[in-house]
Amino acid sequence: MLYIVSTPIGNLKDITFRAVETLKSVDLIAAEDTRHTQILTRYYDIQTPLTSYFEHNQFKKGEYLLKLLKEGKDIALVTDAGTPGISDPGYHLIQLAKDSDIPITVVPGPTALIAALTASGLPCHNFIFEGFLPVKPVARRKKLEQFKGEERTVIFYESPYRLTKTLQDIEEVLGNPTVVCARELTKKFEEVKKASAKELQQHFSAQKPRGEFVLLLNQ
Ligand code: SAM
């Protein structure tokens, strides 16, 4: 069985009983960064061996993990934070397992986009998640063009290094909409700030952006 296990996005206590039980009972945990996942396994006294499964070894390692699954081993797939496959490795292994008729189950839990959406105060009934915007300015602006007139709440992940630049592009391409910046959710410096794209640029120009961010907008 392949278990797709969601893990905390900051606060180690945000994990389900079933996730902890699963991580304890499987034969192997395939983790994006084994050192990072060790913080979680130590906290919950999980003794299961860990192996790495990340973007740059996912094809080769995926075949190896599939072989173990075919031999009858139980494997849990986790990433550094949140839900595997959501702007994180996972999709390839899940597809391999599915195509090989390996039983798959999901152990749901946190994901930053849903945490941000529910805390944003923006409409939650209809939304679109875009993951990370392209890094290159021209491609980023072109992608943003696609959301002109979008009625649904649009959600992006963004790095602190590109945040002010992205806010500037949002202002210029989408006409200064109201944006919610959800920062460091579930952590000590959690902050959910709602303002125009221009005001948020000014805010984060005065106060350097730090930590992890989700950007949401509703036009
Ligand atoms: N798989 C993860 C999930 O389910 O949300 C996402 C992994 S992606 C590589 C990491 C990005 O998620 C960060 O750059 C940030 O945009 C967002 N993120 C993760 N944790 C967050 C948090 N605690 N607060 C705000 N954003 C977070």
Side-chain angles (χ1 to χ4, degrees):
M1 172 84 88
L2 175 65
Y3 295 81
I4 305 160
V5 181
S6 295
T7 57
I9 57 166
N11 188 324
L12 282 178
K13 292 189 174 145
D14 291 334
I15 189 162
T16 66
F17 290 118
R18 185 167 163 244
V20 175
E21 261 172 32
T22 301
L23 295 177
K24 283 187 175 174
S25 68
V26 291
D27 297 298
L28 187 65
I29 301 171
E32 187 181 7
D33 178 343
T34 52
R35 281 166 309 172
H36 187 95
T37 298
Q38 263 169 10
I39 300 169
L40 184 75
T41 53
R42 283 202 191 112
Y43 189 82
Y44 287 102
D45 193 23
I46 295 163
Q47 310 285 342
T48 310
L50 293 158
T51 189
S52 67
Y53 175 78
F54 54 93
E55 196 186 340
H56 298 294
N57 76 356
Q58 62 178 330
F59 298 111
K60 216 169 157 204
K61 197 63 177 269
E63 294 296 339
Y64 170 71
L65 294 172
L66 182 67
K67 183 175 154 285
L68 295 181
L69 287 164
K70 282 182 174 166
E71 288 168 4
K73 298 272 190 285
D74 287 331
I75 298 179
L77 173 67
V78 301
T79 56
D80 288 355
T83 299
I86 305 296
S87 294
D88 259 345
Y91 162 68
H92 177 66
L93 177 61
I94 298 160
Q95 190 188 37
L96 273 184
K98 191 88 196 140
D99 291 349
S100 305
D101 291 326
I102 301 288
I104 298 174
T105 187
V106 66
V107 185
T111 183
L113 76 110
I114 298 297
L117 179 64
T118 45
S120 70
L122 295 176
C124 300
H125 53 279
N126 222 338
F127 62 90
I128 173 164
F129 171 60
E130 188 54 39
F132 287 96
L133 283 165
V135 174
K136 293 199 173 133
V138 175
R140 189 167 60 227
R141 291 173 73 101
K142 206 167 158 201
K143 174 56 77 180
L144 283 171
E145 295 274 353
Q146 294 176 6
F147 299 109
K148 270 188 181 165
E150 174 61 63
E151 288 180 0
R152 293 168 291 181
T153 298
V154 186
I155 309 170
F156 304 108
Y157 284 167
E158 193 47 287
S159 122
Y161 310 108
R162 285 188 294 275
L163 186 78
T164 45
K165 206 76 210 105
T166 295
L167 286 167
Q168 188 183 342
D169 287 342
I170 290 174
E171 182 205 336
E172 289 170 12
V173 175
L174 300 175
N176 202 21
T178 297
V179 176
V180 173
C181 235
R183 179 171 93 93
E184 292 286 272
L185 295 170
T186 76
K187 303 189 212 177
K188 190 173 173 190
F189 296 108
E190 174 174 307
E191 178 184 43
V192 180
K193 215 170 166 47
K194 184 178 183 183
S196 72
K198 196 175 180 65
E199 284 163 341
L200 285 171
Q201 267 175 79
Q202 286 159 353
H203 172 78
F204 286 112
S205 300
Q207 200 177 310
K208 200 172 165 218
R210 283 183 210 282
E212 299 196 278
F213 288 86
V214 182
L215 288 179
L216 309 97
L217 53 100
N218 189 274
Q219 301 170 74

